[in-house]
Amino acid sequence: MLLVGMLDSPYVRRAAITGTLLGVEFEHRSVSVFRHMDAFRAINPMIKAPSLVCDDGTVISESLLIIQHFEDVAGRSLRPIEDVARVRDLSLTGIGIVAADKAVSVEYERKRPEAQRYAPWQERIVTQLHTALDLLDQAARRGELGSGPELEPADIAAAIAWGFCRFVIPEYVEESRWPALAAQARACEELAVFKAWPIDRE
């Protein structure tokens, strides 16, 4: 299998780390949806990152579905089996994904020409981002987010979201406001699997 996309994408990075932890064998190709549009179009005409090219040539788009396929191939999930823990993980994973989504939106919006910006929208997505980070920090303080040795999907999603925020929009996310989340993410970044898939590899 071939995972396509740049590691500065939180979606690509989450899929790569999860697949590795599941023991799934795949190759990775760094192709940008912006700088290498024609090359990406040849792999997936929708130009969607990440894209996973399966062994039979079938292309799967959307990171959640790629991770689901990795789980199917591995015959297991990183998610807890026990009901309460499983539901908590689903909830926190969703919050981590929202944090990453809103960070991407903030990055896109700030790159728009000034005349095309809409202040109320910018304020809304920043507020949504900060709310998601607040919730993740509270979870980290309660001990609901870990950094190993066994990682759950929520741990991965939270750490990757924080790392992405600090990488692309550090002026919007000061560590002093979310110290527990920052500490959890730093600990995850020290793990071998995170170092194998660094955000700044390319």
Side-chain angles (χ1 to χ4, degrees):
M1 289 185 286
L2 176 65
L3 182 67
V4 184
M6 306 290 284
L7 288 173
D8 61 2
S9 160
Y11 314 109
V12 175
R13 195 175 186 220
R14 189 163 56 87
I17 288 173
T18 302
T20 299
L21 287 172
L22 287 168
V24 176
E25 293 187 6
F26 62 93
E27 298 178 29
H28 171 246
R29 185 178 302 168
S30 296
V31 185
S32 170
V33 296
F34 299 108
R35 298 191 304 275
H36 315 129
M37 284 184 62
D38 290 340
F40 214 120
R41 185 181 289 109
I43 297 167
N44 183 345
M46 294 185 295
I47 317 177
K48 170 70 174 176
S51 290
L52 181 72
V53 183
C54 298
D55 293 338
D56 65 357
T58 301
V59 177
I60 301 174
S61 304
E62 177 54 50
S63 58
L64 282 170
L65 300 178
I66 290 171
I67 289 172
Q68 181 177 320
H69 181 64
F70 283 161
E71 292 173 342
D72 292 343
V73 170
R76 65 188 183 96
S77 170
L78 300 178
R79 187 162 290 113
I81 297 174
E82 192 271 325
D83 286 347
V84 173
R86 179 177 175 276
V87 171
R88 181 176 63 239
D89 180 81
L90 287 168
S91 175
L92 292 174
T93 299
I95 295 169
I97 292 171
V98 168
D101 287 346
K102 297 309 172 182
V104 169
S105 295
V106 170
E107 170 68 354
Y108 284 166
E109 286 298 315
R110 74 173 188 164
K111 288 183 175 180
R112 289 180 184 272
E114 188 68 38
Q116 296 180 13
R117 297 177 189 172
Y118 181 54
W121 174 249
Q122 289 181 298
E123 293 172 4
R124 173 176 173 169
I125 57 177
V126 170
T127 297
Q128 290 174 300
L129 168 63
H130 287 175
T131 299
L133 296 178
D134 287 342
L135 293 171
L136 292 175
D137 190 72
Q138 292 164 18
R141 288 176 186 271
R142 293 191 300 266
E144 294 176 353
L145 291 174
S147 54
E150 299 295 327
L151 291 177
E152 297 177 356
D155 305 328
I156 300 166
I160 286 177
W162 178 258
F164 179 72
C165 287
R166 292 295 299 166
F167 186 68
V168 297
I169 53 170
E171 65 273 29
Y172 288 90
V173 288
E174 297 180 3
E175 290 196 24
S176 59
R177 177 168 170 178
W178 300 282
L181 174 59
Q184 183 265 348
R186 278 196 302 272
C188 284
E189 294 290 351
E190 290 301 312
L191 298 173
V193 68
F194 273 71
K195 289 183 175 181
W197 300 103
I199 193 170
D200 58 352
R201 174 190 266 185
E202 291 89 1

